Amino acid sequence: SAHRVCQTPVSRSHHKTPNVNVGGVVRSRRGVRVGCLATREEIDTESLIASYLDEQQLKQVKLFALALLEKNKHMNLTGASTVEEVLTRHVADSLALIPAIEAALGVVVTKKNTGVSQSKHTTESDSQDKDTKHNNSDKQDKDTDNNNRDKQDDDTEHTENNPGHKTKLDPETEKVITVLDVGSGAGFPGIALAIARPFWRVTLLDSLQKRVDFLSQASALCGASNIDTLWSRAEDAGKVGSAHREQYDVVTARAVAELRTLSELCVPLVKVGGVFCAAKNSRGSIALEVEAASSAIEVLGGAPFQIVEVQSTGPDGEKRTAVVSRKVGNTPVKYPRRAGTPNKKPL
């Protein structure tokens, strides 16, 4: 069928209460959800992936997918059974988050990005002219002064935790954008974000050491040198005294927990001015979840959630969403609570 199959039973009440269509979800005037109005929307995942990944980056993603499928024979990491399924199920879904993240950060970039970003006032031809002048200048510097060349290399690359791993600076912000992927599991969205955005420094956090070991090995195999891994529970990584508390520009999570729990796991790790981005299903299906988490995000230091539709479709045939909050204040020292509590007793 071309129409969404509504998972919420339609009310069989005999009362003739008028219904109201709110964002594709039919609600009665009594506030009861009684049905759905939506049509299935198809996303061209191949074109989406091609818009973010050049040939070399696509090769890296496929190498990771092959490693994932091989490991999946011994560990339960994904329901995908082919490289193509990994691309359509996981990679495209992850890349679709990029516009929402960059909009929240205030960064304007081209889709295919190998470290060169464009400001709102820079045209493509201007960018090419600058690249040409920069290359000529580099050649001249190399011929006349090797020390200047070395200094220039130091200015355009940044070394993070892993020795020998260099991450390009974003030319627009002149810094490395740090990203933490909480509950990374099979590596998504973190792996796809790191490959598509080589000037992002992405840390993949997971509580299971076997998964972390796999992610570390597979990242190296596919040549994604801007990736770190962290074996930890999010509650421990975000607690007061941790080197990771309030240290990341962006914290993401996909298919980890409901939003009240997820906020407490993720927001303490976001630096003030940074962004928390949760990958979720359609706007209608998460409306009540977002509403229930509104007080939690405020308590933790985040601005009210914004629901942004992304170019990916969920199991209901509707566009998935990125639920985004900008961090506007420090997280109180009592959060996150001890490991397990956010899940058992959500805020």
Side-chain angles (χ1 to χ4, degrees):
S1 172
H3 294 282
R4 174 186 171 194
V5 177
C6 178
Q7 297 177 345
T8 305
V10 175
S11 171
R12 300 300 182 189
S13 170
H14 295 290
H15 297 288
K16 294 182 179 180
T17 306
N19 296 332
V20 181
N21 178 15
V22 182
V25 177
V26 179
R27 300 180 186 276
S28 74
R29 293 200 183 277
R30 295 180 179 183
V32 180
R33 179 174 172 150
V34 297
C36 307
L37 289 177
T39 56
R40 186 175 299 274
E41 181 170 353
E42 296 295 333
I43 302 294
D44 185 346
T45 55
E46 185 176 345
S47 295
L48 175 70
I49 292 171
S51 71
Y52 284 102
L53 305 178
D54 62 24
E55 186 177 344
Q56 178 58 33
Q57 289 168 320
L58 183 58
K59 182 179 179 181
Q60 287 180 278
V61 167
K62 288 182 175 179
L63 284 173
F64 178 82
L66 287 169
L68 174 62
L69 294 174
E70 181 62 30
K71 192 67 175 180
N72 203 50
K73 296 176 182 177
H74 312 287
M75 289 179 66
N76 184 21
L77 292 169
T78 176
S81 58
T82 66
V83 170
E84 186 62 29
E85 283 188 50
V86 173
L87 293 176
T88 56
R89 283 192 184 189
H90 301 304
V91 176
D93 192 30
S94 301
L95 295 175
L97 297 173
I98 291 177
I101 293 172
E102 292 180 333
L105 287 173
V107 177
V108 181
V109 293
T110 56
K111 280 196 171 183
K112 283 186 180 176
N113 203 313
T114 55
V116 178
S117 70
Q118 290 182 310
S119 70
K120 294 178 181 178
H121 303 295
T122 302
T123 65
E124 185 176 353
S125 60
D126 289 341
S127 179
Q128 290 174 345
D129 289 343
K130 288 180 180 179
D131 289 343
T132 302
K133 292 177 182 178
H134 182 70
N135 291 336
N136 290 340
S137 176
D138 284 348
K139 184 176 184 302
Q140 192 173 31
D141 288 345
K142 182 176 180 180
D143 292 339
T144 58
D145 194 337
N146 286 334
N147 290 332
N148 287 345
R149 178 203 62 190
D150 293 339
K151 181 178 185 301
Q152 187 174 28
D153 287 344
D154 289 340
D155 288 342
T156 56
E157 294 183 325
H158 178 72
T159 303
E160 287 285 328
N161 298 330
N162 289 354
H165 284 195
K166 294 181 178 180
T167 305
K168 297 177 181 179
L169 294 177
D170 175 6
E172 183 176 318
T173 61
E174 295 187 348
K175 71 172 204 172
V176 173
I177 295 175
T178 55
V179 180
L180 179 68
D181 182 19
V182 169
S184 193
F188 298 103
I191 289 285
L193 297 179
I195 292 174
R197 293 294 184 257
F199 53 84
W200 290 7
R201 187 82 201 177
V202 179
T203 300
L204 310 177
L205 178 149
D206 201 275
S207 60
L208 186 64
Q209 187 174 15
K210 288 182 179 180
R211 282 197 293 257
V212 171
D213 290 344
F214 159 70
L215 292 172
S216 181
Q217 294 164 7
S219 299
L221 177 67
C222 71
S225 60
N226 58 326
I227 290 178
D228 298 304
T229 55
L230 177 61
W231 174 37
S232 175
R233 295 190 66 132
E235 299 98 322
D236 296 329
K239 67 184 180 182
V240 172
S242 167
H244 298 275
R245 182 179 173 89
E246 298 191 325
Q247 292 300 306
Y248 294 91
D249 297 303
V250 180
V251 176
T252 64
R254 175 175 177 261
V256 175
E258 63 106 341
L259 208 48
R260 290 179 299 165
T261 298
L262 203 55
S263 296
E264 187 172 355
L265 298 181
C266 295
V267 176
L269 294 154
V270 183
K271 64 174 62 172
V272 175
V275 174
F276 165 44
C277 178
K280 290 289 181 178
N281 282 323
S282 64
R283 184 185 296 271
S285 69
I286 64 162
L288 296 180
E289 180 183 347
V290 173
E291 183 179 354
S294 60
S295 61
I297 193 66
E298 181 180 357
V299 166
L300 294 164
F305 284 118
Q306 294 183 347
I307 304 176
V308 183
E309 288 188 338
V310 301
Q311 292 301 305
S312 175
T313 52
D316 56 8
E318 292 188 61
K319 282 186 176 179
R320 296 184 192 269
T321 59
V323 181
V324 179
S325 172
R326 184 124 187 168
K327 191 163 183 180
V328 294
N330 295 106
T331 299
V333 296
K334 64 185 292 185
Y335 301 111
R337 293 167 292 171
R338 66 181 182 178
T341 304
N343 189 52
K344 293 176 183 177
K345 299 178 179 179
L347 291 175

